Structures are given as C-alpha cells and as structure tokens.
Amino acid sequence: NAGVTQTPKFQVLKTGQSMTLQCAQDMNHEYMSWYRQDPGMGLRLIHYSVGAGITDQGEVPNGYNVSRSTTEDFPLRLLSAAPSQTSVYFCASSYWGADPQETQYFGPGTRLLVL
Amino acid sequence: LAKTTQPISMDSYEGQEVNITCSHNNIATNDYITWYQQFPSQGPRFIIQGYKTKVTNEVASLFIPADRKSSTLSLPRVSLSDTAVYYCLVGGPGGADGLTFGKGTHLIIQP
C-alpha cells in the first residue's frame, strides 16, 4: 500500500493562476479531506467527502473547489490563487463507519507559495 | 463539535515521562478522544484513541476520567525524537464537520 499520496510536493504560483493539487489513496477509504496548515497554526479543514459524488465544505472553503469522481482520488482546485493561500496542504483519508472517529491517514503535504 | 484546550508548549528531558492534558468540557456522549503527533514537514499521524478509563499501546497511554471532560496523554521515557506537536481531537469523520485540529502542544525534549 502506498497509503495517501500527494502531488506536487512543492509549487510556486503567481497571483491569479489556477492549479490542481492531487490526492490519491489506495486503502479503499470512503472519507477524504483537505486541510491547510499555516506557520505555527493547527490544521484547518477546507473540504471533505464521505464517498464518490459527495463533497461538503469545511471551515475555510472559499477559493477552493473539490470533486470526488472515484473513491481513490480527491483533487483540490485553486480557482484564482492569492497570496493568502500560501500554505502547506494536507490530504487525509479514513474509513467511514459506525465508529464516530476513524483513524485519519495523512499524506506528506504540498507546499504552495503564491507570489 | 467539542472544543479542546491544551497547552501551547511543554519542555522536558530525555528519559522523563511526559503528560499532556487536554480539556474538552462539552464532549458529547458518542465522542471519542484521539491524539495525533506531527513532526515538522510531515502530516499528522495517529497515536492513540480512547473513550473512557485508560488505553495503552506500544507508544503511549491515554487516561480519561469518569466525567470525560479532560484527557491526559502520557509518553513514557521520552527521547529527542519525541519532539513534535501533539493534537488532541474530540469527534471525527462521523460528525458533519470532520476533524477539527487546534494549535496543538509543541513538546520539546532536551538532552
């Protein structure tokens, strides 16, 4: 198992550019989510999905879009990058079951710099 | 979602036992308590989870009093490699908003 993989590892964008951060997992997890982490801060939830075709907003969704066409993939799109979106982005996945808190598995992160 | 409060930072020395306490006064009946560890430039990783009383695994112990309004992560005989940020979470993917991470506790282990 590769676990949760994220690409790219590092990206530099200019203000106004768009891009897609890729996230994939091979554990057949129903639940996937995106977080951003700013320096000295905890993780803030951007969007999450409980299965293919189902997505929902987290704490800080503005400026980001997601889709979930397959169980394995959960890409995050930046529509028009802004310097305020400079951050480290983590993707996570877990089972979605009766247990109210399944263990989350995190990817290695994508460092994004918006100039 | 239940809000958690934990110290911003803690210091200790190699070989010591470290206890990090987290407050979660409005924990719900169905909520579990989970702790994650994060090293610099890495994603968080699961350490331990519990519902009540005491849970122990090969890495840590988790103590939860009867009222469940707080919990204590105990790391036995820490080493330099235990320097990391530790997050206490209550609730999870079963809820409508997913997991909520606070700022965590930055644990620094000195020689």
Side-chain angles (χ1 to χ4, degrees), chain B residues 31-80:
Chain B
D31 284 343
Y32 280 67
I33 301 154
T34 306
W35 286 79
Y36 285 81
Q37 175 191 55
Q38 185 179 27
F39 296 114
S41 302
Q42 294 185 26
R45 69 171 189 173
F46 172 89
I47 300 176
I48 197 167
Q49 182 181 89
Y51 184 79
K52 62 180 179 180
T53 62
K54 176 183 175 182
V55 179
T56 297
N57 62 22
E58 65 278 4
V59 176
S61 294
L62 180 60
F63 298 92
I64 305 169
D67 65 6
R68 304 200 327 123
K69 293 185 182 299
S70 67
S71 59
T72 298
L73 173 72
S74 181
L75 304 173
R77 299 183 60 80
V78 294
S79 64
L80 296 176

Side-chain angles (χ1 to χ4, degrees), chain A residues 8 13 16 27 31 35 46 48 51 66-67 74 76 82 87 98-99 101 109 111 114:
Chain A
L13 290 178
M27 297 173 280
Y31 183 88
Y35 293 86
I46 304 172
Y48 65 97
V66 292
S67 60
F74 191 44
L76 178 72
S87 188
D99 190 318
Q101 188 167 157
R111 290 184 175 274
V114 183

Side-chain angles (χ1 to χ4, degrees), chain A residues 28-41:
Chain A
N28 203 30
H29 285 164
E30 301 92 346
Y31 183 88
M32 296 185 74
S33 56
W34 277 101
Y35 293 86
R36 61 175 289 174
Q37 185 172 36
D38 301 315
M41 303 289 289

